Amino acid sequence: MKYTITRKEALNAEDFLIEVEAPLVAKKFKAGQFLILRIHDKGERIPLTITDCDPEKGLVRMIIKAVGKTTSELGRLGKGDSVSDIVGPLGNPSEIKKFGTVVCIGGGTGIACLYPIIKALKAAGNHVVAIIGARTKDKLVWEDEIKTICDDLIVTTDDGSYGRKGVVTEPLEEILKNKTVDRVIAIGPMIMMKFVAKTTESYGVKTVVSLNTIMIDGTGMCGGCRVFIGGEMKFTCIDGPEFDGHKVNFDELMNRLDMFKEKEKQAMEYYERGTK
Amino acid sequence: MVDIGGTRVPMREQPVRERIENFHSVPFGYDEGEVVAEAQRCIMCKHAPCEINCPVRLKIKEMIRKIAERKFKEAFLIVKEDNPIPAITGRVCPQEDQCEGVCPLAKTENGVNIGKLEAFIADWAMKNGIAEEFHIEERAEKVAVIGSGPAGISCAVDLRKFGYQVIMFEALHKAGGVLQYGIPAFRLPKDIVDYELSYIKKIGVDIQLNNIIGQNIKFSELRESFDAIFIGTGAGAPLFIGMDGEKLNGVYSANEFLIRVNLMKAYDFPEHDTPIVCGAEVGVIGAGNVAMDAARCALRLNAKKVYILYRRTKRESPARDEEVQHALEEGIIFKELISPTRVLGNEEGWVTGVELAKMKLGEPDKSGRPRPIKIEGSEFTMKLDTVIEALGSRPNRLFLDRAPELERNKRGVLVVDENLNTNMGGVSAGGDAISGGATVILALGEGRTAAKSSHNYLSKGDSK
């Protein structure tokens, strides 16, 4: 079986939207889940969070940042091309119920991952405030889509080129000071999730983070995605990907993400040489 | 005294210096002359203890007789009656504990090299395009086989022979289960696994890859659309000691290490995308087949020194003799009677070594092997760059957690009766999913038993 790309759009120099035919995934997807993709026979298996699905047409949409070899290669594919393997949806769906007021925080491509979660939270009757941030205006993705589904939207950019200048934790802190917040959900770079969890801790607001760890099979077989949640070993693929942000040791996790950094660089160089 | 049987025909192997640089098969296999000579060593003893001691009761004596007569095709067809994957079992069975161990010749000389005879005739049939021929009388009932490892393969083959429509579900992008992700190519070449799988496809088994039952398709949905189900989900979940430092970079479960190397071909990085980081000094915790596999893979990934860190002694190692032998020849260093207490690391979060405690052997435990006892205050440290934990595995939680209607015991292993039926009608299970980690041949036997149980279940109404 081949998984054909039906749509592909560059959102900026690094980020792109890709839509792929994967009927089983589209049919079963619930907010918060991910899939594992392999481009071709020599490819690696990479976990990707799902942004949106069309169950009727069997389509899955993802927003991806071209950072490594596989995401860069994926970024160079276009409509009509295909990838050899997709398996999913994987992981547990987000916990969705009527919490009250939920603040959803997204950074980078994590913003797009929030989209189905906010949709589900709204459908469950929550008041949703979204805070989305990027380094600069050009890197901000999925703003219009988020805007149409949440109650309030706050945008930050590190350089102030759009929205508020600064980082997402600043408006978050203001909201926590002035309003009752029942839950916070954060998806984005580890460092962002770390500081979101730090910010909410003193307010005692339950904070859920979605971890994107090293992963191979995604079925609980390799243990490569192991994380320690409150000292207990968990596998992100089958126990996560969402965990209590106050129990995650982000420094340890960021260190683990570096395990293959040198190799990733090597893979990228090898790929670029081959495509020149 | 007459020299009955003579000495074993030696197996030609890749020289050590060459083979530690590649992932090709270590033994070359017998040629026709050698295989006949080895078969002729068999004294055709009356009771054939080799057959009694074989988990699938392979007609070994007949196979050997035909090989001795150079009737390879007939030998192949005899084996195929009881074993759908002889090329694989011939290479991975613990023959010394089964057929070869009870061979009368094993008392004075080593027993007939039954494993290598079996592998020979399977390879010979593959090379000559010989396959067993049978007529399938089609039946309408659909049977789902969950998992495409040894248990699933043997179950699927028998179910097809009974005439059922068989759909096999595999979670990964490649079928074969442990044969694919677990056992390295130098022990089990992947073209052999691919060939056996192409055979099961040829007889009409529909293999659905990238399909995780329980996760993508609910077990209840599967039960609605199939008349019977076989669960062969294996023992894919790795065990960790639970010591300090397991979060450090450079610590792997043997599963992760082997999946990267075998399934993802990390030894061919960057031509293949999946990387592996393997340091100069590697410590493998455990001494079973998986530990030997991981250690020998590490050596082939250019590790300078590879240690087996074992709490008992070489004698108690549950690995196949041939693997221990090959590992020692290749320079793997056995460190006996020690047990890691924590992994040591540097400020950058990378492994720098392990702390170990010395052990002594006590009274036999449940496994019949002497129980290792920690010698208090004996801790010492050892410098290492990579630590691989090969402590065994347990049944895969992913499926079991999502099928709570199936009864399981305290250890999370599925409960089955002697015919391998679970507590649910038409649902059977076999292989490591019910044993928690055993051998390919046991899984294969269980797959066959389960196929019979499914057949009994589905043909209940036939005679009415």
Side-chain angles (χ1 to χ4, degrees):
Chain A
M1 164 146 193
K2 286 260 181 187
Y3 302 84
T4 307
I5 298 169
T6 50
R7 196 174 141 203
K8 166 59 209 305
E9 266 166 49
L11 302 177
N12 55 48
E14 290 170 343
D15 305 311
F16 59 91
L17 163 84
I18 195 163
E19 184 186 78
V20 192
E21 263 176 17
L24 184 64
V25 183
K27 197 172 128 195
K28 302 284 175 149
F29 170 71
K30 290 207 175 83
Q33 291 185 299
F34 62 98
L35 55 77
I36 281 182
L37 174 147
R38 198 173 73 121
I39 297 188
H40 49 62
D41 222 33
K42 291 181 177 175
E44 61 185 332
R45 296 169 64 97
I46 59 161
L48 296 167
T49 309
I50 300 164
T51 299
D52 200 7
C53 283
D54 183 334
E56 254 104 76
K57 292 186 182 143
L59 303 173
V60 177
R61 282 182 280 274
M62 292 163 285
I63 306 273
I64 298 166
K65 184 180 283 300
V67 277
K69 189 258 170 183
T70 300
T71 46
S72 300
E73 195 175 359
L74 205 53
R76 289 180 204 177
L77 297 179
K79 189 179 169 180
D81 290 333
S82 64
V83 297
S84 66
D85 300 282
I86 285 182
V87 60
L90 296 167
N92 301 293
S94 302
E95 190 193 352
I96 302 290
K97 60 179 184 194
K98 191 169 177 185
F99 298 109
T101 298
V102 184
V103 178
C104 293
I105 303 159
T109 52
I111 298 170
C113 306
L114 274 180
Y115 179 75
I117 298 172
I118 295 176
K119 253 203 322 198
L121 285 170
K122 279 305 294 172
N126 291 285
H127 179 83
V128 179
V129 180
I131 307 173
I132 60 174
R135 265 178 289 144
T136 176
K137 185 186 176 190
D138 176 51
K139 301 274 186 259
L140 189 73
V141 299
W142 231 232
E143 183 201 354
D144 294 342
E145 288 78 0
I146 298 277
K147 195 189 258 169
T148 57
I149 55 168
C150 65
D151 296 294
D152 294 305
L153 175 70
I154 301 161
V155 180
T156 66
T157 50
D158 294 1
D159 63 357
S161 54
Y162 187 67
R164 269 179 71 155
K165 183 176 161 58
V167 289
V168 290
T169 43
E170 292 160 14
L172 170 65
E173 181 112 45
E174 289 164 20
I175 295 170
L176 289 166
K177 267 185 198 152
N178 300 314
K179 270 193 198 165
T180 309
V181 175
D182 300 288
R183 177 169 287 227
V184 169
I185 299 173
I187 308 181
M190 286 287 181
I191 192 80
M192 181 205 92
M193 294 193 285
K194 175 184 168 175
F195 283 103
V196 166
K198 230 180 189 169
T199 307
T200 58
E201 201 159 21
S202 52
Y203 294 90
V205 178
K206 168 107 181 199
T207 301
V208 173
V209 296
S210 178
L211 303 180
N212 192 352
T213 59
I214 290 168
M215 211 176 272
I216 314 176
D217 57 280
T219 65
M221 261 172 45
C222 76
C225 67
R226 65 187 182 276
V227 292
F228 292 83
I229 304 298
E232 202 185 329
M233 191 190 289
K234 296 279 178 197
F235 289 176
T236 307
C237 65
I238 57 173
D239 299 317
E242 294 183 356
F243 292 103
D244 182 343
H246 296 145
K247 290 185 180 165
V248 174
N249 186 327
F250 288 98
D251 294 332
E252 271 171 19
L253 255 177
M254 283 188 268
N255 182 60
R256 250 190 96 65
L257 285 179
D258 282 349
M259 177 149 171
F260 296 99
K261 214 160 121 191
E262 281 304 309
K263 293 279 180 184
E264 280 156 18
K265 233 185 266 166
Q266 219 181 313
M268 195 63 198
E269 282 164 15
Y270 185 81
Y271 172 63
E272 306 251 90
R273 266 205 309 277
T275 51
K276 257 173 204 161
Chain B
M1 206 180 119
V2 192
D3 179 20
I4 302 169
T7 41
R8 206 177 237 213
V9 175
M11 175 53 54
R12 288 169 292 108
E13 291 173 344
Q14 271 201 76
V16 170
R17 214 172 298 165
E18 275 172 36
R19 76 191 194 217
I20 60 168
E21 303 279 325
N22 66 55
F23 279 79
H24 305 313
S25 177
V26 170
F28 288 123
Y30 284 141
D31 63 22
E32 292 193 11
E34 289 166 335
V35 83
V36 170
E38 180 62 18
Q40 284 171 347
R41 288 181 62 226
C42 176
I43 57 170
M44 294 290 145
C45 62
K46 198 175 159 196
H47 302 295
C50 51
E51 295 181 5
I52 298 163
N53 224 24
C54 171
V56 298
R57 297 280 187 277
L58 208 63
K59 296 178 194 75
I60 296 168
K61 199 165 123 181
E62 273 319 292
M63 171 190 86
I64 298 177
R65 192 195 307 278
K66 295 296 178 195
I67 295 173
E69 293 168 3
R70 278 190 177 267
K71 292 176 179 161
F72 301 138
K73 184 178 174 180
E74 287 173 40
F76 172 70
L77 295 176
I78 287 166
V79 172
K80 269 290 210 183
E81 279 175 30
D82 301 300
N83 177 356
I85 47 171
I88 293 169
T89 50
R91 288 174 166 87
V92 304
C93 264
Q95 285 95 0
E96 67 272 13
D97 300 325
Q98 300 173 1
C99 51
E100 293 174 19
V102 291
C103 175
L105 297 183
K107 283 176 199 148
T108 50
E109 245 306 323
N110 29 29
V112 175
N113 199 341
I114 297 168
K116 294 293 188 284
L117 298 189
E118 187 187 14
F120 169 86
I121 52 152
D123 293 355
W124 178 88
M126 182 167 91
K127 265 180 236 138
N128 292 284
I130 309 279
E132 74 187 309
E133 282 164 26
F134 47 86
H135 171 70
I136 292 175
E137 227 157 281
E138 298 293 343
R139 299 180 57 127
E141 295 98 330
K142 279 165 70 186
V143 185
V145 172
I146 313 174
S148 65
I153 291 173
S154 73
C155 187
V157 168
D158 278 11
L159 287 167
R160 267 309 284 149
K161 287 183 180 175
F162 286 130
Y164 298 108
Q165 307 310 307
V166 182
I167 300 182
M168 184 181 246
F169 294 96
E170 167 55 46
L172 295 171
H173 59 265
K174 246 181 156 178
V178 72
L179 307 171
Q180 203 70 259
Y181 71 76
I183 306 175
F186 52 78
R187 200 145 85 75
L188 180 63
K190 296 302 160 220
D191 54 341
I192 288 172
V193 180
D194 292 341
Y195 178 81
E196 301 284 21
L197 287 163
S198 71
Y199 165 77
I200 75 161
K201 271 188 231 162
K202 215 164 86 186
I203 66 167
V205 175
D206 177 8
I207 305 178
Q208 301 266 333
L209 301 173
N210 296 322
N211 229 313
I212 310 174
I213 303 302
Q215 178 77 12
N216 313 140
I217 297 176
K218 280 192 202 147
F219 185 53
S220 57
E221 292 174 88
L222 200 70
R223 277 177 18 235
E224 278 164 28
S225 37
F226 286 87
D227 300 292
I229 296 170
F230 171 72
I231 301 161
T233 45
L239 287 167
F240 287 89
I241 288 183
M243 58 185 163
D244 277 351
E246 280 173 333
K247 52 195 82 172
L248 290 164
N249 287 347
V251 178
Y252 295 94
S253 72
N255 270 15
E256 179 182 355
F257 197 78
L258 291 173
I259 289 171
R260 285 182 183 275
V261 174
N262 300 328
L263 180 72
M264 306 310 296
K265 304 204 162 37
Y267 59 81
D268 193 26
F269 176 88
E271 185 56 29
H272 280 78
D273 292 343
T274 305
I276 194 157
V277 174
C278 182
E281 290 180 274
V282 180
V284 181
I285 305 167
N289 283 318
V290 173
M292 297 303 142
D293 287 345
R296 296 172 67 201
C297 281
L299 201 65
R300 284 158 173 78
L301 293 168
N302 290 324
K304 296 283 166 277
K305 275 187 180 156
V306 183
Y307 302 96
I308 291 282
L309 310 174
Y310 190 35
R311 55 197 187 134
R312 295 188 172 96
T313 72
K314 224 179 290 159
R315 238 180 17 174
E316 287 84 28
S317 154
R320 293 176 81 227
D321 284 354
E322 191 184 13
E323 309 319 325
V324 177
Q325 189 65 35
H326 282 159
L328 291 171
E329 283 169 15
E330 290 169 9
I332 307 286
I333 304 155
F334 256 81
K335 293 269 185 190
E336 302 174 321
L337 295 170
I338 49 170
S339 183
T341 45
R342 64 191 168 110
V343 186
L344 310 168
N346 60 19
E347 277 177 13
E348 285 82 48
W350 282 84
V351 169
T352 54
V354 280
E355 182 191 81
L356 303 125
K358 289 186 178 145
M359 310 292 279
K360 61 182 181 196
L361 294 180
E363 294 296 309
D365 62 9
K366 270 184 286 174
S367 72
R369 296 174 298 174
R371 194 166 62 89
I373 302 163
K374 186 175 163 184
I375 301 170
E376 289 306 324
S378 65
E379 283 83 357
F380 66 102
T381 62
M382 191 177 165
K383 195 177 149 286
L384 291 173
D385 309 300
T386 303
V387 172
I388 303 170
E389 298 193 40
L391 309 158
S393 48
R394 59 189 162 189
N396 210 330
R397 283 195 281 140
L398 180 59
F399 171 72
L400 294 174
D401 285 357
R402 286 155 178 80
E405 55 269 58
L406 289 165
E407 193 191 335
R408 70 214 64 202
N409 68 17
K410 269 179 277 167
R411 288 183 301 132
V413 179
L414 285 175
V415 175
V416 290
D417 66 16
E418 71 272 21
N419 297 315
L420 305 182
N421 293 304
T422 65
N423 60 318
M424 306 192 73
V427 181
S428 57
D432 283 356
I434 61 166
S435 63
T439 60
V440 168
I441 192 77
L442 281 173
L444 196 154
E446 287 165 0
R448 303 202 70 202
T449 305
K452 255 179 245 152
S453 295
S454 299
H455 180 54
N456 288 340
Y457 173 80
L458 293 171
S459 52
K460 251 186 242 160
D462 284 6
S463 53
K464 279 176 198 163

Short mmCIF file of all heavy atoms in Angstrom, two decimals, chain A residues 73-105:
data_model
loop_
_atom_site.label_atom_id
_atom_site.label_comp_id
_atom_site.label_asym_id
_atom_site.label_seq_id
_atom_site.Cartn_x
_atom_site.Cartn_y
_atom_site.Cartn_z
N GLU A 73 13.41 15.92 3.48
CA GLU A 73 13.09 15.11 2.30
C GLU A 73 11.58 15.13 2.05
O GLU A 73 11.13 15.25 0.91
CB GLU A 73 13.58 13.67 2.53
CG GLU A 73 13.64 12.85 1.27
CD GLU A 73 14.24 11.47 1.48
OE1 GLU A 73 14.62 11.13 2.62
OE2 GLU A 73 14.30 10.72 0.50
N LEU A 74 10.84 15.06 3.14
CA LEU A 74 9.38 15.11 3.04
C LEU A 74 8.94 16.45 2.45
O LEU A 74 8.03 16.53 1.63
CB LEU A 74 8.80 14.92 4.45
CG LEU A 74 7.41 14.37 4.63
CD1 LEU A 74 7.22 13.06 3.89
CD2 LEU A 74 7.13 14.16 6.12
N GLY A 75 9.64 17.50 2.86
CA GLY A 75 9.33 18.86 2.40
C GLY A 75 9.55 19.04 0.91
O GLY A 75 9.00 19.94 0.29
N ARG A 76 10.38 18.18 0.36
CA ARG A 76 10.64 18.31 -1.09
C ARG A 76 9.71 17.44 -1.93
O ARG A 76 9.78 17.46 -3.15
CB ARG A 76 12.10 17.95 -1.38
CG ARG A 76 13.03 19.03 -0.84
CD ARG A 76 14.47 18.74 -1.08
NE ARG A 76 15.27 19.46 -0.10
CZ ARG A 76 16.58 19.38 0.01
NH1 ARG A 76 17.25 18.61 -0.82
NH2 ARG A 76 17.23 20.06 0.92
N LEU A 77 8.86 16.67 -1.28
CA LEU A 77 7.87 15.90 -2.03
C LEU A 77 6.69 16.82 -2.37
O LEU A 77 6.49 17.85 -1.74
CB LEU A 77 7.38 14.71 -1.21
CG LEU A 77 8.41 13.64 -0.85
CD1 LEU A 77 7.77 12.54 -0.01
CD2 LEU A 77 9.06 13.05 -2.09
N GLY A 78 5.93 16.42 -3.35
CA GLY A 78 4.80 17.25 -3.74
C GLY A 78 3.56 16.42 -3.99
O GLY A 78 3.57 15.19 -3.82
N LYS A 79 2.50 17.09 -4.38
CA LYS A 79 1.23 16.43 -4.68
C LYS A 79 1.45 15.30 -5.70
O LYS A 79 2.14 15.49 -6.70
CB LYS A 79 0.26 17.48 -5.26
CG LYS A 79 -1.14 16.96 -5.40
CD LYS A 79 -2.06 18.04 -5.95
CE LYS A 79 -3.38 17.39 -6.33
NZ LYS A 79 -4.33 18.36 -6.87
N GLY A 80 0.89 14.15 -5.43
CA GLY A 80 1.04 13.02 -6.35
C GLY A 80 2.16 12.08 -5.95
O GLY A 80 2.16 10.91 -6.32
N ASP A 81 3.14 12.58 -5.18
CA ASP A 81 4.19 11.70 -4.66
C ASP A 81 3.58 10.84 -3.54
O ASP A 81 2.47 11.11 -3.08
CB ASP A 81 5.35 12.52 -4.08
CG ASP A 81 6.15 13.22 -5.16
OD1 ASP A 81 6.16 12.72 -6.30
OD2 ASP A 81 6.74 14.28 -4.87
N SER A 82 4.34 9.84 -3.11
CA SER A 82 3.80 9.03 -2.02
C SER A 82 4.89 8.63 -1.05
O SER A 82 6.08 8.73 -1.34
CB SER A 82 3.12 7.79 -2.59
OG SER A 82 4.07 7.00 -3.25
N VAL A 83 4.47 8.20 0.13
CA VAL A 83 5.42 7.67 1.12
C VAL A 83 5.07 6.19 1.32
O VAL A 83 3.93 5.78 1.09
CB VAL A 83 5.36 8.44 2.46
CG1 VAL A 83 5.78 9.88 2.25
CG2 VAL A 83 3.98 8.37 3.09
N SER A 84 6.05 5.41 1.75
CA SER A 84 5.82 3.96 1.77
C SER A 84 5.03 3.47 2.98
O SER A 84 4.33 2.48 2.89
CB SER A 84 7.14 3.20 1.63
OG SER A 84 7.94 3.42 2.76
N ASP A 85 5.18 4.14 4.12
CA ASP A 85 4.49 3.64 5.32
C ASP A 85 3.92 4.74 6.20
O ASP A 85 4.60 5.74 6.45
CB ASP A 85 5.46 2.82 6.17
CG ASP A 85 6.02 1.63 5.42
OD1 ASP A 85 5.29 0.64 5.29
OD2 ASP A 85 7.16 1.72 4.94
N ILE A 86 2.72 4.51 6.64
CA ILE A 86 2.11 5.35 7.67
C ILE A 86 1.38 4.42 8.61
O ILE A 86 0.64 3.53 8.19
CB ILE A 86 1.12 6.37 7.08
CG1 ILE A 86 1.89 7.51 6.39
CG2 ILE A 86 0.21 6.95 8.17
CD1 ILE A 86 1.02 8.60 5.81
N VAL A 87 1.63 4.58 9.91
CA VAL A 87 0.88 3.79 10.88
C VAL A 87 0.33 4.73 11.95
O VAL A 87 1.01 5.64 12.41
CB VAL A 87 1.72 2.64 11.47
CG1 VAL A 87 2.96 3.14 12.20
CG2 VAL A 87 0.88 1.76 12.39
N GLY A 88 -0.91 4.51 12.30
CA GLY A 88 -1.53 5.35 13.30
C GLY A 88 -3.03 5.25 13.23
O GLY A 88 -3.53 4.46 12.42
N PRO A 89 -3.77 6.00 14.01
CA PRO A 89 -3.24 6.94 14.99
C PRO A 89 -2.61 6.22 16.17
O PRO A 89 -3.10 5.18 16.59
CB PRO A 89 -4.47 7.73 15.42
CG PRO A 89 -5.62 6.80 15.16
CD PRO A 89 -5.23 5.97 13.99
N LEU A 90 -1.52 6.81 16.70
CA LEU A 90 -0.82 6.22 17.83
C LEU A 90 -0.99 7.09 19.07
O LEU A 90 -1.35 8.26 18.98
CB LEU A 90 0.67 6.09 17.49
CG LEU A 90 1.00 5.13 16.34
CD1 LEU A 90 2.45 5.32 15.90
CD2 LEU A 90 0.76 3.70 16.74
N GLY A 91 -0.69 6.50 20.20
CA GLY A 91 -0.78 7.23 21.47
C GLY A 91 -2.21 7.36 21.93
O GLY A 91 -3.16 6.96 21.25
N ASN A 92 -2.35 7.92 23.12
CA ASN A 92 -3.69 8.10 23.69
C ASN A 92 -4.25 9.46 23.28
O ASN A 92 -3.52 10.42 23.20
CB ASN A 92 -3.60 8.04 25.22
CG ASN A 92 -3.05 6.71 25.67
OD1 ASN A 92 -3.68 5.68 25.50
ND2 ASN A 92 -1.83 6.72 26.20
N PRO A 93 -5.56 9.52 23.04
CA PRO A 93 -6.17 10.81 22.73
C PRO A 93 -6.09 11.74 23.95
O PRO A 93 -5.95 11.28 25.08
CB PRO A 93 -7.64 10.45 22.45
CG PRO A 93 -7.68 8.97 22.28
CD PRO A 93 -6.53 8.42 23.04
N SER A 94 -6.18 13.05 23.68
CA SER A 94 -6.21 14.02 24.78
C SER A 94 -7.43 13.78 25.64
O SER A 94 -8.47 13.36 25.15
CB SER A 94 -6.33 15.44 24.22
OG SER A 94 -5.29 15.72 23.35
N GLU A 95 -7.29 14.11 26.91
CA GLU A 95 -8.45 14.02 27.79
C GLU A 95 -9.35 15.22 27.48
O GLU A 95 -8.93 16.37 27.60
CB GLU A 95 -7.99 14.08 29.25
CG GLU A 95 -9.10 13.76 30.21
CD GLU A 95 -8.77 14.12 31.66
OE1 GLU A 95 -7.61 14.47 31.94
OE2 GLU A 95 -9.68 14.05 32.48
N ILE A 96 -10.55 14.92 27.02
CA ILE A 96 -11.47 16.01 26.66
C ILE A 96 -12.72 15.90 27.50
O ILE A 96 -13.40 14.87 27.51
CB ILE A 96 -11.86 15.94 25.16
CG1 ILE A 96 -10.62 16.00 24.25
CG2 ILE A 96 -12.88 17.02 24.81
CD1 ILE A 96 -9.91 17.32 24.17
N LYS A 97 -13.00 16.95 28.27
CA LYS A 97 -14.30 17.05 28.95
C LYS A 97 -14.53 18.51 29.28
O LYS A 97 -13.70 19.36 28.97
CB LYS A 97 -14.34 16.16 30.19
CG LYS A 97 -13.33 16.46 31.25
CD LYS A 97 -13.52 15.50 32.41
CE LYS A 97 -12.58 15.86 33.54
NZ LYS A 97 -12.46 14.83 34.54
N LYS A 98 -15.62 18.79 29.94
CA LYS A 98 -15.86 20.19 30.27
C LYS A 98 -15.08 20.56 31.53
O LYS A 98 -15.44 20.17 32.63
CB LYS A 98 -17.35 20.46 30.47
CG LYS A 98 -17.62 21.94 30.55
CD LYS A 98 -19.06 22.32 30.49
CE LYS A 98 -19.13 23.83 30.66
NZ LYS A 98 -20.49 24.30 30.73
N PHE A 99 -13.96 21.26 31.30
CA PHE A 99 -13.12 21.66 32.43
C PHE A 99 -13.54 23.03 32.93
O PHE A 99 -13.40 23.36 34.08
CB PHE A 99 -11.65 21.74 32.00
CG PHE A 99 -11.07 20.42 31.54
CD1 PHE A 99 -10.78 20.20 30.19
CD2 PHE A 99 -10.82 19.41 32.45
CE1 PHE A 99 -10.24 19.00 29.77
CE2 PHE A 99 -10.28 18.20 32.04
CZ PHE A 99 -9.99 17.99 30.69
N GLY A 100 -14.02 23.89 32.01
CA GLY A 100 -14.33 25.28 32.33
C GLY A 100 -13.52 26.17 31.42
O GLY A 100 -13.74 26.18 30.21
N THR A 101 -12.51 26.85 31.99
CA THR A 101 -11.63 27.67 31.17
C THR A 101 -10.31 26.94 30.95
O THR A 101 -9.67 26.51 31.89
CB THR A 101 -11.37 29.04 31.85
OG1 THR A 101 -12.61 29.72 31.97
CG2 THR A 101 -10.38 29.87 31.04
N VAL A 102 -9.97 26.80 29.68
CA VAL A 102 -8.73 26.12 29.34
C VAL A 102 -7.84 27.07 28.55
O VAL A 102 -8.29 27.72 27.61
CB VAL A 102 -8.99 24.85 28.50
CG1 VAL A 102 -7.69 24.09 28.24
CG2 VAL A 102 -10.00 23.93 29.18
N VAL A 103 -6.58 27.17 28.97
CA VAL A 103 -5.62 27.96 28.21
C VAL A 103 -4.75 26.99 27.41
O VAL A 103 -4.12 26.10 27.98
CB VAL A 103 -4.74 28.84 29.13
CG1 VAL A 103 -3.72 29.62 28.30
CG2 VAL A 103 -5.60 29.79 29.94
N CYS A 104 -4.79 27.15 26.08
CA CYS A 104 -4.00 26.29 25.19
C CYS A 104 -2.82 27.08 24.65
O CYS A 104 -3.02 28.16 24.07
CB CYS A 104 -4.85 25.78 24.04
SG CYS A 104 -6.15 24.67 24.59
N ILE A 105 -1.63 26.54 24.85
CA ILE A 105 -0.45 27.28 24.45
C ILE A 105 0.34 26.51 23.40
O ILE A 105 0.66 25.33 23.59
CB ILE A 105 0.45 27.53 25.68
CG1 ILE A 105 -0.37 28.29 26.72
CG2 ILE A 105 1.70 28.33 25.30
CD1 ILE A 105 0.17 28.18 28.10
#
